[in-house]
């Protein structure tokens, strides 16, 4: 919003929407004082680390060895290494699979479905379903991961026992499917709550009118409900896509195995940077992740703005 | 942005979660505060070592210092995680100028820690005390070599070990195999595996493979096999690429895991090694290649993580044969690999002399005898106590007398851990179905990137 800078007429001080230059300066100063701590925190914990990662990405910095003591500037070598590394590409595609499967299709789809089915309901059933779904959300990732490892274990795992089969290795034979199902189970609560709140804002009179006009259930959903909750859907999609993209919990289920078949990018970075100690290369892959996240965020925000 | 944060924190040293250096806490008057850490924890990993530090070393050392008029307080910082995680934690501690005063590391990390500046030669830290320690005269040259990098001593050796083939005598009897089994070639191992399979043993042979097992795959898998085929991972400054011995070693993996004699899934699971321990103890694995840790820390009837009450009657052991008699390194019929832990002083310590004293105290004859009593026997670094400690321990006497003379050590250079990972990946590929020649070629390609080009590789 542009601030008016022309001096007020005599006796007009304090006219709505107009400020004296002194008042404007004071206002800016006051705003600056209020915003400064937040800006400092953002600079210290976001901008500086991001710049530091970009710097590390241009070096051969390692966790141990001579390059830990005296890292050399290697330019874009790490990025070129990543581009030539089949493990990087395999991790990238697995991450895309993970985001599409568990976030876009799973959590958004299932979260909306549950919210839609529960929209007009009251009573114990709703509370039970909500309680069960939210339980997954409130438990720490490390704890539920261990629970799932026990659940899916091929020897003595609960799932095999329930199904009456022996020795089926879910995490080994279907690592990505197991991780995607786990993430859907764990993350659906957030989408469900968000959609539940959004659906509450759809004016019942609009739905009633649509019903009276003979609209089918699908038409009501498409033409009345969706336009109202579109912003929520896109915001939710953005948030959970980014969360899933950066999610490290797959490591707790499979450690990226077997043979890298569940090594999503976050796990790939952990393995190369902290297990193999290649901090420079790890920083380069982190920078790529940062870039992808930014592109996705900008894309979603533009979509959101255009629809508005 | 968690990933970014992890990397950045590592770079900035913000993620260091170690303990502050001794004496930094304040509040203790003129007390000298020391911390000591190992990858050991009461009730968990290497529990006996943790108990020894907490119950014997600390009270005795503090009392000994008090007698000398010094007020020294020692605190044990336990850990019970995978070795790779322990190494990462130590690296971050040391990088950020923190960490315990006395630290245990795997011998093979000494080179890369020294090159990074995380460790300093003992002589630089504590002066003449370093070479003046009376324990050195009791430690064999090869074992001292574990603690030496570029001709300087960086740590005190905590001991050494050796590798053998363990087998279940009960399963062997059912398969018509002898209780005093000693294979003389790889083919004899495969033959025994085939007989075990016919008699219904679920996993006849288990030899570590893959990356999930980490360094265990190298030490209890590919390196002894490579040595058995006459190969060395590094010789005369050149690294072995896709050599015939490597192809032979990978070929044995293919015969075992492609031929139904081993369980490939056990190699792929994150906790596969622990599971293989449990399965051996439960009588489901016939033959297992492992170090002496397996005997004293895993199936130990008193303190093992997979106790076998009848270990001494049921578990047999044999030397690892060369591919064929005389085909092993140095023309040997049998081979082994050895490693060992080190105990060192953190260069960031505020009291390096006292820290060194603490480290040597743990390796005194009395300390080693105390640590290894009640069935917690291991081969110590000191020859003056080994005989007494190992008496009545047939497996460890066997390793000490028969296996150590023909063993081999990993190259004590900083780049070795990366080479080791590449070897693990080669075994993982073969277990997953890749042909040995292809896996060896892929290994060589990766090796070139690690060791600085094809000029440093012997094919």
């Amino acid at each position: 919003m542009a601030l008016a800078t022309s001096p007020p007429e005599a006796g007009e001080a304090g006219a709505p929407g107009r400020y004296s230059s002194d008042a404007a300066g004071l206002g800016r100063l006051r705003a600056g004082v209020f915003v400064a701590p937040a800006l400092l925190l953002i600079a210290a914990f976001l901008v500086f680390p991001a710049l530091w990662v970009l710097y590390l990405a241009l070096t051969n910095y390692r966790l141990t060895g001579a390059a830990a003591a005296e890292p050399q500037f290697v330019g874009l070598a790490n990025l070129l290494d990543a581009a030539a590394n089949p493990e990087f590409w395999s991790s990238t595609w697995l991450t895309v699979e993970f985001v599409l499967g568990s976030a876009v299709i799973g959590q958004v789809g299932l979260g909306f479905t549950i919210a839609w089915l529960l929209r007009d309901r009251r009573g114990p059933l709703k509370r039970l379903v909500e309680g069960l779904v939210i339980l997954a959300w409130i438990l720490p990732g490390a704890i539920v991961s261990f629970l799932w490892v026990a659940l899916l274990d091929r020897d003595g795992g609960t799932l095999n026992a329930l199904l009456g089969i022996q020795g089926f290795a879910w995490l080994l034979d279907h690592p990505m499917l197991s991780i995607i199902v786990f993430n859907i189970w764990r993350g659906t609560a957030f989408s469900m709550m968000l959609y539940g709140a959004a659906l509450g804002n759809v004016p019942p009179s609009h739905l009633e009118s649509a019903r009276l006009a003979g609209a089918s259930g699908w038409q009501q959903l498409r033409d009345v409900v969706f336009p109202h909750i579109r912003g929520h859907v896109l915001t939710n999609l953005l948030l959970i896509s980014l969360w899933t993209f950066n999610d490290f919990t797959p490591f707790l289920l499979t450690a990226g195995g077997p043979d890298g078949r569940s090594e999503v990018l976050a796990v790939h970075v952990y393995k190369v940077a902290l297990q193999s100690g290649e901090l420079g290369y790890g920083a380069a892959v982190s920078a790529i992740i940062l870039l992808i996240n930014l592109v996705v965020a900008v894309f979603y925000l533009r979509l959101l703005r255009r629809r508005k | 942005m968690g990933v970014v944060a992890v990397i950045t924190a590592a770079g900035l040293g913000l993620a260091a979660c170690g303990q502050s250096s001794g004496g930094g806490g304040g509040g203790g008057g003129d007390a000298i505060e020391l911390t000591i850490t190992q990858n050991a924890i009461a009730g968990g990993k290497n529990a006996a070592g943790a108990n020894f530090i907490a119950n014997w070393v600390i009270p005795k050392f503090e009392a000994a210092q008090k007698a000398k008029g010094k007020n020294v307080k020692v605190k044990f910082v336990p850990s019970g995680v995978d070795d790779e995680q322990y190494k990462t934690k130590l690296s971050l501690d040391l990088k950020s100028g923190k960490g315990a005063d006395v630290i245990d590391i795997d011998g093979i990390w000494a080179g890369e820690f020294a090159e990074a500046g995380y460790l300093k030669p003992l002589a630089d830290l504590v002066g003449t005390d370093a070479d003046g320690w009376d324990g050195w005269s009791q430690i064999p040259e090869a074992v001292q070599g574990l603690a030496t990098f570029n001709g300087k001593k960086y740590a005190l050796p905590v001991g050494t070990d050796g590798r053998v083939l363990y087998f279940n005598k009960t399963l062997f009897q059912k398969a018509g195999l002898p209780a005093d089994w000693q294979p003389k070639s790889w083919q004899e191992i495969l033959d025994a595996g085939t007989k075990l399979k016919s008699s219904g043993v679920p996993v006849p042979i288990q030899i570590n493979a893959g990356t999930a097992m980490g360094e265990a795959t190298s030490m209890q898998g590919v390196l002894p096999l490579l040595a058995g085929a006459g190969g060395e991972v590094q010789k005369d400054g050149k690294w072995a690429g896709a050599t015939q011995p490597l192809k032979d070693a990978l070929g044995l993996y293919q015969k075992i895991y492609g031929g139904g004699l081993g369980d490939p899934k056990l190699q792929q699971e994150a906790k596969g090694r622990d599971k293989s321990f449990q399965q051996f103890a439960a009588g489901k694995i016939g033959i297992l290649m492992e170090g002496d840790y397996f005997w004293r820390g895993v199936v130990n009837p008193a303190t093992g993580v997979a106790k076998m009450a009848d270990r001494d009657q049921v578990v047999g052991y044999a030397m690892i044969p060369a591919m064929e008699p005389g085909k092993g390194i140095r023309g040997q019929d049998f081979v082994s690999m050895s490693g060992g832990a080190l105990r060192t002083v953190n260069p960031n310590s505020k009291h390096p002399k006292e820290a060194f004293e603490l480290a040597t105290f743990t390796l005194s004859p009395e300390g080693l005898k105390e640590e290894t009593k009640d069935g917690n026997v291991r081969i110590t670094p000191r020859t003056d106590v080994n005989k007494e400690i190992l008496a009545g321990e047939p497996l460890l006497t066997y390793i000490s007398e028969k296996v150590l003379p023909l063993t081999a050590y990993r190259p004590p250079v900083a780049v070795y851990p990366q080479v080791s990972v590449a070897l693990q990946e080669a075994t993982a590929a073969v277990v997953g179905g890749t042909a040995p020649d292809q896996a060896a070629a892929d290994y060589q390609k990766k090796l070139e990137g690690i060791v600085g080009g094809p000029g440093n590789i012997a094919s």
Side-chain angles (χ1 to χ4, degrees):
Chain A
M1 182 174 69
L3 294 176
T5 52
S6 58
E9 307 272 349
E12 199 183 32
R18 303 190 65 161
Y19 303 91
S20 70
S21 58
D22 282 357
L26 199 65
R28 275 196 216 105
L29 184 69
R30 193 181 294 157
V33 168
F34 281 122
V35 171
L39 285 179
L40 272 175
L41 286 173
I42 289 171
F45 293 107
L46 204 64
V47 179
F48 178 68
L51 291 175
W52 184 252
V53 166
L54 292 178
Y55 162 72
L56 286 183
L58 302 175
T59 69
N60 67 347
Y61 201 39
R62 287 189 56 83
L63 190 59
T64 59
E70 287 175 30
Q72 312 277 320
F73 185 79
V74 294
L76 298 178
N78 288 322
L79 287 173
L80 296 174
D81 282 353
N85 184 355
E87 285 161 20
F88 167 75
W89 289 110
S90 132
S91 294
T92 305
W93 297 128
L94 286 171
T95 309
V96 170
E97 202 179 303
F98 184 42
V99 173
L100 284 178
S102 73
V104 179
I105 298 171
Q107 292 179 32
V108 171
L110 190 65
F112 181 79
T113 307
I114 297 176
W116 179 253
L117 292 174
L118 291 177
R119 68 192 187 282
D120 293 328
R121 298 191 193 280
R122 299 279 179 275
L125 177 71
K126 182 176 183 181
R127 284 198 294 274
L128 179 73
V129 173
E130 281 179 345
L132 284 175
V133 177
I134 288 170
L135 191 66
W137 174 254
I138 57 172
L139 286 171
I143 291 173
V144 288
S145 299
F146 285 122
L147 289 176
W148 270 65
V149 168
L151 181 79
L152 299 176
D153 191 53
R154 71 169 165 148
D155 307 309
T158 314
L159 187 59
N160 280 354
L162 283 174
L163 296 174
I165 52 178
Q166 277 194 337
F168 193 84
W170 297 94
L171 290 168
L172 289 178
D173 291 336
H174 303 285
M176 277 313 291
L177 180 67
S178 303
I179 285 169
I180 286 171
V181 171
F182 166 79
N183 209 45
I184 291 173
W185 169 79
R186 187 166 160 245
T188 299
F190 181 81
S191 299
M192 185 199 80
M193 287 191 293
L194 197 130
Y195 292 135
L199 287 172
N201 290 333
V202 179
S205 56
H206 291 202
L207 279 170
E208 187 61 30
S209 305
R211 258 197 299 272
L212 289 173
S216 67
W218 166 245
Q219 285 169 328
Q220 289 174 36
L221 198 63
R222 188 190 61 196
D223 299 330
V224 179
V225 175
F226 190 68
H228 270 100
I229 65 167
R230 190 166 44 214
H232 295 85
V233 172
L234 289 172
T235 306
N236 182 39
L237 210 51
L238 169 67
L239 286 176
I240 61 172
S241 298
L242 293 182
W243 286 341
T244 308
F245 203 91
N246 297 320
D247 192 8
F248 188 64
T249 40
F251 181 84
L252 300 171
L253 291 176
T254 61
D259 302 330
R261 277 168 49 212
S262 59
E263 193 173 307
V264 291
L265 275 171
V267 176
H268 180 63
V269 170
Y270 172 77
K271 289 185 99 165
V272 295
L274 293 174
Q275 284 193 332
S276 301
E278 298 170 65
L279 294 176
Y281 177 81
V285 180
S286 292
I288 295 172
I289 293 176
L290 191 65
L291 191 70
I292 295 173
N293 282 338
L294 282 174
V295 169
V296 171
V298 168
F299 172 76
Y300 272 114
L301 288 174
R302 288 201 162 187
L303 201 66
L304 195 62
R305 216 170 283 159
R306 201 168 60 209
R307 296 274 176 156
K308 273 180 180 169
Chain B
M1 312 286 162
V3 171
V4 175
V6 165
I7 294 295
T8 309
L12 291 169
L14 292 176
C17 43
Q19 308 302 307
S20 63
S21 179
D30 57 353
I32 292 173
E33 290 174 12
L34 294 176
T35 46
I36 179 167
T37 194
Q38 294 178 1
N39 196 9
I41 189 163
K45 186 166 183 163
N46 300 320
N51 294 337
F52 165 63
I53 297 287
N55 302 332
W56 192 87
V57 171
I58 291 178
K60 291 275 181 193
F61 183 74
E62 286 180 351
Q65 293 295 314
K66 200 169 186 180
K68 287 202 282 185
K70 278 190 184 176
N71 184 8
V72 178
K73 294 279 170 224
V74 181
K75 191 178 155 203
F76 178 57
V77 183
S79 172
V81 296
D82 289 343
D83 290 345
E84 277 79 9
Q85 289 171 330
Y86 178 67
K87 180 184 175 187
T88 302
K89 179 186 177 299
L90 283 187
S91 305
L92 293 172
D93 281 358
L94 293 165
K95 185 185 271 291
S96 55
K98 294 196 167 16
D101 298 88
V102 177
I103 296 173
D104 270 24
I105 61 169
D106 189 309
I108 210 63
W109 305 340
E112 48 179 333
F113 276 31
E115 277 196 347
Y118 298 161
L119 296 182
K120 297 250 178 326
L122 289 175
D124 292 1
L125 289 174
V126 299
T128 51
D129 289 358
D131 291 323
W133 178 46
D134 60 359
W136 288 120
S137 62
Q138 300 299 332
I139 300 178
E141 197 88 350
V143 180
Q144 288 197 26
L146 287 171
T148 308
F149 181 68
N150 284 345
K152 290 182 177 171
K153 291 192 180 84
Y154 278 79
L156 307 174
V158 174
T160 189
D161 56 8
R163 263 105 208 125
V164 293
L165 290 172
Y166 292 96
F167 57 95
N168 185 312
K169 290 184 195 172
T170 311
L171 299 178
F172 264 50
Q173 196 182 11
K174 277 187 202 155
L177 290 159
D180 59 348
W181 183 64
Q182 174 56 70
K184 294 183 178 63
S185 67
W186 290 357
Q187 189 55 50
E188 288 187 22
I189 300 176
L190 294 171
D191 292 345
T194 308
K195 283 190 177 175
L196 287 164
K197 192 179 179 189
S198 313
S199 71
V201 175
V203 185
I205 306 172
Q206 147 66 22
I207 296 180
N208 290 349
T211 50
M213 301 257 184
E215 187 63 12
T217 288
S218 302
M219 281 303 271
Q220 276 93 229
V222 67
L223 290 181
L225 296 182
L226 190 62
E232 286 179 73
V233 67
Q234 189 207 37
K235 196 178 179 185
D236 304 327
K238 294 254 184 190
W239 293 87
T243 56
Q244 191 54 45
L246 179 65
K247 289 177 189 170
D248 290 337
L250 294 175
L252 183 64
Y253 275 109
Q254 188 191 41
K255 284 179 187 156
I256 292 171
Y257 293 105
L261 296 175
D263 178 1
K265 288 202 169 70
L266 209 49
Q267 313 304 316
Q268 298 171 327
E269 290 181 78
K271 295 283 172 199
R273 193 173 178 220
D274 294 342
K275 275 197 172 178
S276 73
F277 292 161
Q278 302 293 343
Q279 291 193 11
F280 187 94
K284 291 179 181 165
I285 292 178
I287 302 167
L288 176 70
M289 194 192 281
E290 265 296 340
D292 57 54
Y293 165 70
F294 178 74
W295 178 267
R296 55 189 171 77
V298 178
V299 289
N300 188 324
T303 58
V305 291
K307 296 181 183 70
M308 284 181 81
D310 51 1
R311 175 194 70 177
D312 296 351
Q313 293 76 48
V314 171
V315 182
Y317 41 85
M319 284 190 285
I320 301 167
M323 190 164 78
E324 285 167 23
K327 277 264 178 115
I329 47 165
R330 305 181 291 254
Q332 291 174 189
D333 296 339
F334 300 98
V335 294
S336 167
M337 290 300 297
S338 289
L342 303 174
R343 193 159 291 153
T344 191
V345 174
N346 186 341
N348 308 310
S349 171
K350 288 182 178 153
H351 308 285
K353 279 183 185 290
E354 287 79 5
F356 181 75
E357 236 181 294
L358 173 61
T360 56
F361 186 80
T362 62
L363 295 170
S364 62
E366 300 72 34
L368 291 171
K369 284 181 203 167
E370 178 68 26
E371 186 186 359
T372 52
K373 72 177 195 188
D374 298 332
N376 180 38
V377 182
R378 65 177 175 84
I379 300 168
T380 82
R382 301 181 69 122
T383 47
D384 56 347
V385 292
N386 265 345
K387 241 196 165 69
E388 184 184 331
I389 288 173
L390 301 182
E393 247 311 330
L395 180 267
L396 289 162
T397 305
Y398 179 81
I399 287 185
S400 175
E401 291 176 357
K402 294 213 163 181
V403 174
L404 288 185
L406 48 79
T407 197
Y409 290 86
R410 293 165 290 184
V413 294
V415 79
Y416 166 77
Q418 287 172 268
V419 176
S420 176
V421 172
L423 278 173
Q424 294 158 31
E425 287 169 351
T427 63
V430 172
V431 171
T434 306
D437 283 7
Q438 182 60 48
D442 294 344
Y443 164 73
Q444 168 147 343
K445 208 170 152 197
K446 193 158 266 184
L447 188 65
E448 286 172 8
I450 296 169
V451 302
N456 295 318
I457 293 176
S459 297

